[in-house]
Amino acid sequence: MSTIVDNRYKLASPVGRGATGVVWRAYDMLLDREVALKEIPLPPGPDAVERRRRVVREARMAARLSHRGIVTVHNLAEEAERLWIVMEFLEALTLHDTLVQAGPLPADLVAAMGRRLLDALRHAHDGGVIHRDIKPANIMLTGDRVVLADFGFAAPEGAASGSMRGTPAFLAPEALHGRGGTREADMWSFGATLYMAVEGQTPFRTVNSMAALAEALRGPARAPRRAGPLEPVLRGLLRKDPRARLSAEQASVLLARVRCTSAA
């Protein structure tokens, strides 16, 4: 028997896992369309209140952003001690899966992807939303769309960042000290993601813990070997001092130059 959520959404099959829950392919019986449902279990006891607060914040922040490069949020439901974020369904591969299957991508292709992703990121920032978990697994590629997904760690710009959030290999240095809720920190993660796309590895050695990341960040980043004209963008985005890091506007100009160079 199919599971039906909120008397409306018929679950079909799990299609992935985000930072905070499982994502299901589902069918909206009211509007006759496919959707994606992100299932977020609520822990027992008082922790459920805090989890609910965070999930509602995630859904509201993502829902107020309207951009073809950001996954669209339709609804939020609660049932069976779970919260369900209802989103558009995308028949897509993540950038992570693409790299696993195809290996590193050409610099001009990464620059084109980067321009679309940066446009979405600038829209989020202009709306006062900091993503805090930009990485290949949270970028979906479908047709001519590059879509930023999973706002599970997102926070309003200027909010106290508190504890560290995000994935170690793509975290800005300042995020290790609880200062990751800024545009500059998102730009570092954006740069690390582009580096992974073109080089096939992270800028610093692969790490799985904060201690290992702190140790890795004491040394220089790996020198790019495949980036070509993309190298100035990578170096500018991966400056350890956030005040010296490329802004979104500066990165946009440099990415456009990669396009011009490739077309010449």
Side-chain angles (χ1 to χ4, degrees), residues 94-96 98-100 102-114 117 135-137 139 141 146 170 189-203 226-227 230 234 238:
T94 67
L95 175 58
H96 171 81
T98 300
L99 295 174
V100 169
L105 304 176
D108 57 346
L109 183 59
V110 173
M113 179 197 71
L117 179 58
K135 59 182 179 181
I139 297 164
L141 308 177
V146 177
F170 299 92
S189 300
F190 170 67
T193 295
L194 296 187
Y195 188 107
M196 181 74 180
V198 73
E199 295 292 322
Q201 60 184 357
T202 56
R226 299 171 43 89
L230 198 58
L234 301 181
L238 296 174

Side-chain angles (χ1 to χ4, degrees), residues 50 82 93 97 101-102 127-128 158 176 206 225 240 243 249:
E50 175 60 21
R82 285 166 170 76
L93 280 177
D97 291 339
Q101 294 181 19
L176 294 175
T206 302
R225 297 182 178 181
K240 294 180 184 180
R243 296 168 298 182
E249 293 76 14

Side-chain angles (χ1 to χ4, degrees), residues 37-261:
L37 262 66
K38 182 177 178 181
E39 175 191 6
I40 306 171
L42 294 174
D47 289 344
V49 176
E50 175 60 21
R51 173 68 67 86
R52 183 182 288 104
R53 186 189 66 81
R54 289 202 306 266
V55 173
V56 170
R57 183 186 67 184
E58 172 192 353
R60 285 176 174 173
M61 283 192 297
R64 77 188 194 202
L65 301 174
S66 178
H67 190 282
R68 75 189 308 267
I70 295 174
V71 68
T72 301
V73 170
H74 298 309
N75 195 10
L76 178 65
E78 183 171 355
E79 186 171 287
E81 299 181 343
R82 285 166 170 76
L83 288 169
W84 304 81
I85 299 179
V86 185
M87 304 172 288
E88 66 173 317
F89 178 78
L90 296 173
E91 196 76 64
L93 280 177
T94 67
L95 175 58
H96 171 81
D97 291 339
T98 300
L99 295 174
V100 169
Q101 294 181 19
L105 304 176
D108 57 346
L109 183 59
V110 173
M113 179 197 71
R115 290 194 301 274
R116 292 189 177 98
L117 179 58
L118 183 59
D119 192 52
L121 186 57
R122 292 174 74 174
H123 178 79
H125 288 173
D126 289 346
V129 177
I130 306 300
H131 189 277
R132 299 204 300 177
D133 197 24
I134 299 167
K135 59 182 179 181
N138 284 340
I139 297 164
M140 305 181 75
L141 308 177
T142 174
D144 66 344
R145 292 180 67 187
V146 177
V147 183
L148 182 59
D150 201 338
F151 282 70
F153 288 151
E157 185 174 16
S161 54
S163 60
M164 185 284 306
R165 301 283 184 181
T167 303
F170 299 92
L171 277 180
E174 61 270 23
L176 294 175
H177 307 288
R179 299 193 300 272
T182 65
R183 297 185 182 208
E184 291 79 11
D186 266 1
M187 292 303 294
W188 169 284
S189 300
F190 170 67
T193 295
L194 296 187
Y195 188 107
M196 181 74 180
V198 73
E199 295 292 322
Q201 60 184 357
T202 56
F204 297 86
R205 73 172 186 271
T206 302
V207 296
N208 296 308
S209 70
M210 294 303 103
L213 178 59
E215 177 63 28
L217 286 173
R218 292 192 180 98
R222 293 164 165 158
R225 297 182 178 181
R226 299 171 43 89
L230 198 58
E231 184 171 349
V233 185
L234 301 181
R235 292 193 181 279
L237 290 169
L238 296 174
R239 291 172 181 153
K240 294 180 184 180
D241 182 352
R243 296 168 298 182
R245 204 168 294 155
L246 288 179
S247 67
E249 293 76 14
Q250 292 167 328
S252 180
V253 170
L254 291 180
L255 286 170
R257 290 177 183 171
V258 175
R259 175 178 57 187
C260 294
T261 301

